[in-house]
Amino acid sequence: MPRHPRSLTDTEKLDWLRLLRSEGVGPITFFHLVRFYGSAAKALEALPELARRSGRRQPIRLAKREEAERELAAVARAGATLLGWLEPAYPVPLAAIEDAPPLVTLRGDPALLARRTIAIVGARNASANGRSFAETLARELGKIGFVVASGLARGIDGAAHKGALATGTVAALAGGIDICYPPEHRALHEAIAAEGALLAELPPGTEPLARHFPRRNRIISGLAEGVVVVEAALRSGSLITARMALEQGREVFAVPGSPLDPRCHGTNNLIRQGAALTESADDVLRGLGARGMPAQALALTAALAEPALDPLPAPDEDDAGKAREIVIERLSPSPTPVDEVVRQTELAPALVASALLELELAGRIERHPGNKVARLGT
Amino acid sequence: MPRHPRSLTDTEKLDWLRLLRSEGVGPITFFHLVRFYGSAAKALEALPELARRSGRRQPIRLAKREEAERELAAVARAGATLLGWLEPAYPVPLAAIEDAPPLVTLRGDPALLARRTIAIVGARNASANGRSFAETLARELGKIGFVVASGLARGIDGAAHKGALATGTVAALAGGIDICYPPEHRALHEAIAAEGALLAELPPGTEPLARHFPRRNRIISGLAEGVVVVEAALRSGSLITARMALEQGREVFAVPGSPLDPRCHGTNNLIRQGAALTESADDVLRGLGARGMPAQALALTAALAEPALDPLPAPDEDDAGKAREIVIERLSPSPTPVDEVVRQTELAPALVASALLELELAGRIERHPGNKVARLGT
């Protein structure tokens, strides 16, 4: 089902925001619910009964209209706007990822989100050489027309934003749109708001916590056709971004470095695993050329990969109850592809989807990338 | 045709040396002549007539018996011995290369030549980090049983020899066995003679000239199952060694480095072209494991790749004259595979081989790696 971009009405946006901020509703569940019930408004109506049926002890907590209105007001006060997944200005490559944020807060120039984008990420404790390389690479990529995305972190991220400030840069924040982190990047944060664009998934006022960073990283790679990793230790956050880029079908570029510097072990390892060895903007161009991923092709990928927004037929309540028990019985703590669940249970895909939705709202299962689900608890 | 290693008699060794030091006889021609005439002694007898027939203006200059005896005496004075390609102590991987030296001068421990060997080469103007890495890698490879080969040059080569001095190292020299180059490596040169092994292709007393180094490089890679390149600029000698290693069917390993250091551009480029990214001895082991090249397999390769030493039937002189003209007419300044010459001329392979031998002695053609020949002059 293609995504047909259109503006959301104020009411729709409020409904989307309420649904998204309701208990147990992450991006993937959000799209499942909207698909299942046909709209965020209808999903909000159905949610209490759906949650009850699934065996929750407590009633589900929905976000109130006033809470959503307060968030919209805070967004406006921050000089920002809320951008919905369906809207024309929402970045196409980001819309294509499985767990795209249904809503993002945007402060800055929306036109940047329509341009071809490369992400540059790397170590917070980067070497002087690493920073200098990142800044130069960002400048070179900017000169040939790319927007540079990064995460506004210390080290490589900051250097990349600086290098691309004049030509176009987008920063994905781990906290709210109005929270500057790290504090020493206040001036850079404001410069990007003025000349580039800031994006945030969480509500204004949210302080970034450790668990927010991997989710922020998926947005950085999601915005881009490719991710360049400049200096990264083994088991570092930048490698999570690289892994997400691969899962999202984006190209991964890695800058080599001395085996004697632990900050290069992660990037060298990426190269060993097949990432494109990158010494210059030319290498990035060549890498993109090899996979032929111009903006148009990306748009097509987005259209094919995105969750459909058509409502599914609601199953009979008895059938749903039985399906729920069959499905949970088959699941284990290790993530299983939903397709495999459908195949093994021999249930209709719509019935499995509905059962998973209910189990998710009951907190009995967890979604994983690659359309996989795992059982929680015992 | 398998190589059946055996000792050469003193007379045979003298004949080999005379043939090898005669005008216009390089390693490839040497093996062609011995194959064609059945022995070095018979080749020496036939050479003047063969050269005359081929259209040379001047009679060919053969090395005199006394010259060869003087060289043997100089070898002995240097505390060295002359090792022939057929002899059991001649290193098997080196015997397998197309242009193996028919004779090498050896000073040091011949037992090292029978052990599995890895070459480590790199920039003469290496960084402190590069030297330290090379020395550590050589030490680690030594610990797990490999002999380390290199070229005794400044920088990476010297560091590699130092690291492997205690466990076993072989240095291939560009000049004669008794010439220490560079002068600052005098102590290392003597330490390798005492604890390791020195090899030289050129006669004692020969000062190394620029044109000798690529030929020395083929010996370094020829001795080894794989070559590790540590720091190398673009268009540097170490890349010639890497290219030769590939032509010889050996594994190429390259150590990554910062794009900001030109001494890493060559190694990074090797990785881009498929060399194994190498940060440790483990990476070398894994790389060798992947291609499964234990010493036994190498011996087999050697047996299959080596030039046969059976005499070919000598063609009729008229036929030979005609073949020579047909062959030279087909050749051009760009190297052509000998197989292609045979196919296009529709001559018997032995006739083409004989014609090429004569043309080579007349200085009208040149041999290239991969069994190719090119026309010289107009």
Side-chain angles (χ1 to χ4, degrees):
Chain A
M1 289 293 301
R3 162 173 167 267
H4 298 296
R6 63 169 176 86
S7 299
L8 294 174
T9 64
D10 288 351
T11 311
E12 276 180 311
K13 203 167 276 186
L14 207 64
D15 290 337
W16 278 44
L17 191 53
R18 282 189 65 199
L19 183 59
L20 187 61
R21 301 294 183 230
S22 290
E23 189 186 358
V25 180
I28 295 179
T29 315
F30 177 93
F31 288 112
H32 279 289
L33 285 168
V34 172
R35 185 176 181 206
F36 205 77
Y37 292 101
S39 72
K42 287 187 189 150
L44 281 166
E45 272 171 39
L47 213 44
E49 171 60 13
L50 184 68
R52 190 195 57 72
R53 244 176 27 212
S54 70
R56 282 176 62 95
R57 309 237 168 106
Q58 306 264 319
I60 198 163
R61 210 197 68 77
L62 300 189
K64 296 201 181 69
R65 170 172 288 270
E66 305 80 69
E67 295 171 53
E69 281 169 347
R70 273 201 298 277
E71 180 170 342
L72 281 176
V75 166
R77 269 199 310 279
T81 52
L82 212 54
L83 198 54
W85 179 86
L86 261 184
E87 297 189 281
Y90 192 100
V92 168
L94 186 62
I97 74 172
E98 189 181 9
D99 51 354
L103 290 163
V104 286
T105 321
L106 162 69
R107 182 175 167 213
D109 181 4
L112 292 175
L113 306 180
R115 282 170 50 193
R116 294 184 70 180
T117 300
I118 297 292
I120 300 178
V121 299
R124 286 190 300 273
N125 67 339
S127 70
N129 274 345
R131 287 166 210 251
S132 146
F133 180 85
E135 188 168 342
T136 305
L137 180 67
R139 188 174 299 115
E140 286 176 5
L141 287 170
K143 270 187 205 147
I144 49 182
F146 285 97
V147 167
V148 171
S150 194
L152 200 60
R154 293 184 185 92
I156 298 301
D157 286 24
H161 287 302
K162 275 177 208 150
L165 200 54
T167 48
T169 192
V170 178
L173 309 178
I177 196 77
D178 53 349
I179 304 295
C180 173
Y181 182 85
E184 62 265 44
H185 275 177
R186 169 148 307 279
L188 185 57
H189 182 106
E190 288 307 315
I192 296 172
E195 300 183 54
L198 299 169
L199 285 182
E201 185 179 15
L202 295 176
T206 312
E207 292 289 339
L209 303 176
R211 64 185 162 87
H212 295 148
F213 287 90
R215 302 192 52 72
R216 188 271 316 261
N217 293 352
R218 90 186 194 288
I219 298 180
I220 298 173
S221 54
L223 287 166
E225 293 179 45
V227 174
V228 185
V229 186
V230 186
E231 291 190 350
L234 293 174
R235 286 173 293 280
S236 62
S238 308
L239 298 188
I240 297 178
T241 312
R243 187 170 49 75
M244 287 173 167
L246 286 177
E247 286 172 3
Q248 295 165 356
R250 314 301 158 90
E251 192 70 27
V252 176
F253 300 89
V255 180
S258 167
L260 298 179
D261 188 342
R263 287 173 293 203
C264 304
H265 290 174
T267 48
N268 287 343
N269 213 29
L270 285 174
I271 294 167
R272 209 184 263 118
Q273 291 165 357
L277 188 149
T278 302
E279 295 182 298
S280 66
D282 274 353
D283 289 327
V284 174
L285 272 184
R286 261 195 297 273
L288 293 178
R291 75 202 284 269
M293 189 64 146
Q296 266 185 314
L298 255 180
L300 185 64
T301 311
L304 295 173
E306 78 199 12
L309 281 183
D310 285 337
L312 290 175
D316 171 85
E317 186 159 343
D318 279 358
D319 287 355
K322 279 181 218 149
R324 211 160 51 225
E325 293 321 305
I326 295 171
V327 165
I328 192 77
E329 202 264 327
R330 289 301 172 108
L331 293 179
S332 77
S334 54
T336 309
V338 171
D339 288 351
E340 189 59 27
V341 176
V342 170
R343 205 182 61 75
Q344 287 199 16
T345 57
E346 297 181 347
L347 293 170
L351 210 50
V352 171
S354 137
L356 291 173
L357 204 49
E358 293 174 21
L359 290 166
E360 196 178 359
L361 289 169
R364 296 171 70 189
I365 65 163
E366 189 178 41
R367 301 271 177 184
H368 287 267
N371 199 23
K372 290 177 185 172
V373 284
R375 190 170 175 160
L376 290 176
T378 47
Chain B
M1 289 293 300
R3 161 173 168 266
H4 299 295
R6 63 170 176 84
S7 298
L8 295 175
T9 65
D10 288 352
T11 313
E12 276 179 313
K13 204 169 275 189
L14 207 65
D15 290 338
W16 277 44
L17 190 55
R18 281 189 65 199
L19 181 59
L20 187 60
R21 302 292 185 231
S22 290
E23 188 186 359
V25 180
I28 295 179
T29 315
F30 177 94
F31 288 112
H32 280 288
L33 286 167
V34 173
R35 184 177 182 204
F36 206 79
Y37 292 102
S39 73
K42 285 186 190 151
L44 281 165
E45 273 172 36
L47 213 45
E49 171 61 13
L50 185 68
R52 189 196 56 71
R53 246 179 22 216
S54 72
R56 281 177 63 94
R57 310 239 166 102
Q58 305 264 318
I60 199 163
R61 209 197 66 78
L62 300 189
K64 296 200 180 69
R65 169 172 291 270
E66 307 80 68
E67 294 171 53
E69 282 167 347
R70 272 201 300 277
E71 179 169 343
L72 280 175
V75 165
R77 268 199 311 280
T81 53
L82 212 53
L83 197 54
W85 179 86
L86 261 185
E87 297 189 282
Y90 192 99
V92 169
L94 185 63
I97 75 173
E98 188 180 11
D99 50 353
L103 291 163
V104 286
T105 320
L106 162 69
R107 184 176 166 211
D109 181 4
L112 292 176
L113 306 180
R115 283 170 50 194
R116 293 185 71 181
T117 300
I118 298 292
I120 300 179
V121 301
R124 287 190 299 275
N125 67 340
S127 70
N129 274 344
R131 286 168 210 249
S132 149
F133 180 86
E135 189 167 342
T136 305
L137 181 68
R139 189 174 300 115
E140 287 177 4
L141 287 170
K143 270 188 206 146
I144 48 181
F146 284 99
V147 166
V148 172
S150 195
L152 201 60
R154 292 183 186 96
I156 299 299
D157 286 24
H161 287 303
K162 275 177 207 151
L165 200 52
T167 47
T169 192
V170 178
L173 308 177
I177 197 75
D178 53 348
I179 304 295
C180 174
Y181 182 85
E184 62 263 45
H185 276 175
R186 169 149 306 282
L188 185 58
H189 182 106
E190 287 308 315
I192 296 172
E195 301 183 53
L198 299 169
L199 286 181
E201 184 178 16
L202 296 176
T206 312
E207 292 288 341
L209 304 175
R211 65 186 162 85
H212 296 147
F213 287 89
R215 302 191 55 70
R216 187 271 315 259
N217 293 352
R218 91 186 192 287
I219 298 180
I220 298 173
S221 54
L223 287 166
E225 293 179 44
V227 175
V228 185
V229 186
V230 186
E231 291 190 351
L234 293 173
R235 286 172 294 281
S236 63
S238 307
L239 298 188
I240 296 178
T241 311
R243 186 168 52 74
M244 286 172 168
L246 285 178
E247 285 171 4
Q248 295 165 356
R250 313 301 158 91
E251 193 67 27
V252 176
F253 300 89
V255 179
S258 166
L260 298 178
D261 188 341
R263 287 172 294 201
C264 303
H265 290 176
T267 49
N268 287 342
N269 212 30
L270 284 174
I271 294 167
R272 207 182 268 119
Q273 291 165 356
L277 187 148
T278 301
E279 296 181 297
S280 66
D282 273 353
D283 289 328
V284 175
L285 272 184
R286 260 195 297 275
L288 293 178
R291 74 202 284 269
M293 189 65 148
Q296 267 185 313
L298 254 180
L300 186 65
T301 312
L304 294 173
E306 77 199 10
L309 281 182
D310 286 337
L312 289 175
D316 170 86
E317 185 161 342
D318 279 358
D319 288 353
K322 278 182 218 147
R324 210 159 52 225
E325 292 321 304
I326 294 170
V327 166
I328 193 77
E329 201 263 327
R330 288 300 170 109
L331 293 179
S332 76
S334 54
T336 308
V338 171
D339 286 351
E340 188 58 28
V341 176
V342 170
R343 206 184 60 76
Q344 286 199 16
T345 58
E346 298 181 346
L347 294 171
L351 209 51
V352 170
S354 137
L356 290 174
L357 204 48
E358 294 175 21
L359 290 166
E360 196 178 358
L361 290 168
R364 295 172 69 190
I365 65 163
E366 188 177 40
R367 301 271 178 186
H368 288 266
N371 200 22
K372 290 177 184 172
V373 285
R375 188 170 179 162
L376 290 175
T378 45

Short mmCIF file of all heavy atoms in Angstrom, two decimals, chain A residues 68 110 171 203 320 357:
data_model
loop_
_atom_site.label_atom_id
_atom_site.label_comp_id
_atom_site.label_asym_id
_atom_site.label_seq_id
_atom_site.Cartn_x
_atom_site.Cartn_y
_atom_site.Cartn_z
N ALA A 68 -2.46 16.26 25.40
CA ALA A 68 -2.01 16.43 24.01
C ALA A 68 -1.99 17.91 23.65
O ALA A 68 -1.07 18.40 22.99
CB ALA A 68 -2.91 15.65 23.07
N PRO A 110 12.19 23.00 7.21
CA PRO A 110 11.64 21.72 6.76
C PRO A 110 12.14 21.30 5.38
O PRO A 110 12.14 20.11 5.04
CB PRO A 110 10.12 21.97 6.72
CG PRO A 110 9.95 23.44 6.72
CD PRO A 110 11.18 24.05 7.34
N ALA A 171 19.90 17.60 13.02
CA ALA A 171 20.29 16.90 14.25
C ALA A 171 19.08 16.19 14.84
O ALA A 171 18.03 16.81 15.03
CB ALA A 171 20.86 17.90 15.26
N PRO A 203 8.44 14.22 23.82
CA PRO A 203 7.78 15.50 24.06
C PRO A 203 8.75 16.56 24.57
O PRO A 203 9.76 16.21 25.19
CB PRO A 203 6.75 15.17 25.16
CG PRO A 203 6.62 13.70 25.18
CD PRO A 203 7.92 13.15 24.69
N ALA A 320 -10.98 -14.33 18.28
CA ALA A 320 -9.85 -13.52 18.74
C ALA A 320 -9.28 -14.11 20.03
O ALA A 320 -8.06 -14.24 20.19
CB ALA A 320 -10.29 -12.08 18.96
N LEU A 357 -1.58 -7.59 18.71
CA LEU A 357 -1.91 -6.24 19.16
C LEU A 357 -2.43 -6.30 20.60
O LEU A 357 -2.00 -5.54 21.48
CB LEU A 357 -2.98 -5.69 18.22
CG LEU A 357 -3.13 -4.20 18.08
CD1 LEU A 357 -1.79 -3.54 17.83
CD2 LEU A 357 -4.07 -3.93 16.89
#
